[in-house]
Amino acid sequence: MPKFYARRRLSILGALTALIASVAVLNGPTASAALPTPVSAATARTYLASLNVATESRTGYDRDLFPTWITISGTCNTREYILKRDGSNVVTNSACTATSGSWYSPYDGATWTAASDLDIDHLVPLAEAWDSGASAWTTAQRQGFANDVTRPQLIAVTDNVNQSKSDQDPAEWMPSVTSYRCTYVRAWVQVKYYYDLSVDSAEKSALTSYLANC
């Protein structure tokens, strides 16, 4: 079973601050925020050293075991929330659907003005999470992972880039924008650490190499 509940160290004040910030993002006229800032490279290296190294298994995986998208606030589901958070000058209708705005995809450096050109990437893919520990979780825990807007796990990116990434880990795929790779691996390790997910040997080697250059 995952141990991430034991790792929640937010104070009541911190939790309230995060809640207020979330409401501000949803209600603000523009969205200038993006992926929540991941831990530092030094912290990521410490986290990585503590992760269990194990062989991955895809046995029994089904994407439907990770329910998406859920309502985050009001009429906004997870996808709509992230589109509003990651975009600039985003306008939404009463159903929280983005009708205009612009979005910069940090994976490939492209800018889009139609929300339909964007996917919401699970930075640590759902299948990868299953392979490395989520198979033992409850459906509620997998739903929480699939819709986590608090940690650096969800980000709006170019749709075909997300599809090209698929369920690959950093030993197999990295953003083409090299300047974003440090952010990407720091976020990857933070998410894996928080959810007590394992890494395979090739994945750990790749993460160690990238973090050494951060």
Side-chain angles (χ1 to χ4, degrees):
M1 294 294 290
K3 301 175 184 176
F4 53 87
Y5 291 112
R7 286 177 172 155
R8 292 179 178 171
R9 301 186 179 95
L10 284 176
S11 66
I12 293 175
L13 178 59
L16 287 172
T17 300
L19 177 60
I20 291 168
S22 296
V23 171
V25 167
L26 284 169
N27 293 335
T30 63
S32 58
L35 187 77
T37 302
V39 295
S40 68
T43 298
R45 286 190 286 268
T46 300
Y47 284 0
L48 179 59
S50 74
L51 295 181
N52 183 45
V53 179
T55 302
E56 297 180 347
S57 174
R58 183 91 21 122
T59 302
Y61 172 70
D62 187 324
R63 186 182 175 88
D64 290 342
L65 294 169
F66 293 79
T68 59
W69 302 112
I70 63 171
T71 300
I72 298 298
S73 179
T75 60
C76 300
N77 68 21
T78 314
R79 172 181 166 82
E80 294 157 348
Y81 176 94
I82 297 298
L83 285 172
K84 193 165 185 180
R85 184 198 72 185
D86 289 2
S88 297
N89 301 313
V90 178
V91 176
T92 59
N93 61 21
S94 60
C96 202
T97 301
T99 57
S100 64
S102 66
W103 292 266
Y104 172 77
S105 170
Y107 288 0
D108 59 332
T111 298
W112 303 97
T113 56
S116 59
D117 288 321
L118 297 137
D119 279 354
I120 307 304
D121 179 44
H122 290 94
L123 194 135
V124 174
L126 304 182
E128 168 69 22
W130 176 273
D131 296 351
S132 51
S135 59
W137 297 354
T138 64
T139 299
Q141 288 166 340
R142 288 192 288 267
Q143 176 176 286
F145 177 84
N147 299 276
D148 187 350
V149 299
T150 302
R151 275 146 291 279
Q153 164 64 352
L154 295 171
I155 184 170
V157 297
T158 304
D159 53 5
N160 61 356
V161 171
N162 180 52
Q163 291 150 25
S164 175
K165 172 189 171 182
S166 185
D167 56 10
Q168 298 178 92
D169 69 29
E172 304 159 318
W173 184 94
M174 286 292 285
S176 61
V177 176
T178 57
S179 61
Y180 195 72
R181 290 178 177 178
C182 183
T183 300
Y184 186 82
V185 294
R186 285 159 47 213
W188 183 284
V189 171
Q190 179 180 345
V191 171
K192 282 231 160 174
Y193 177 83
Y194 181 83
Y195 285 99
D196 199 29
L197 296 170
S198 64
V199 290
D200 63 36
S201 56
E203 176 188 356
K204 182 171 183 178
S205 178
L207 289 166
T208 299
S209 179
Y210 283 115
L211 285 171
N213 295 314
C214 286

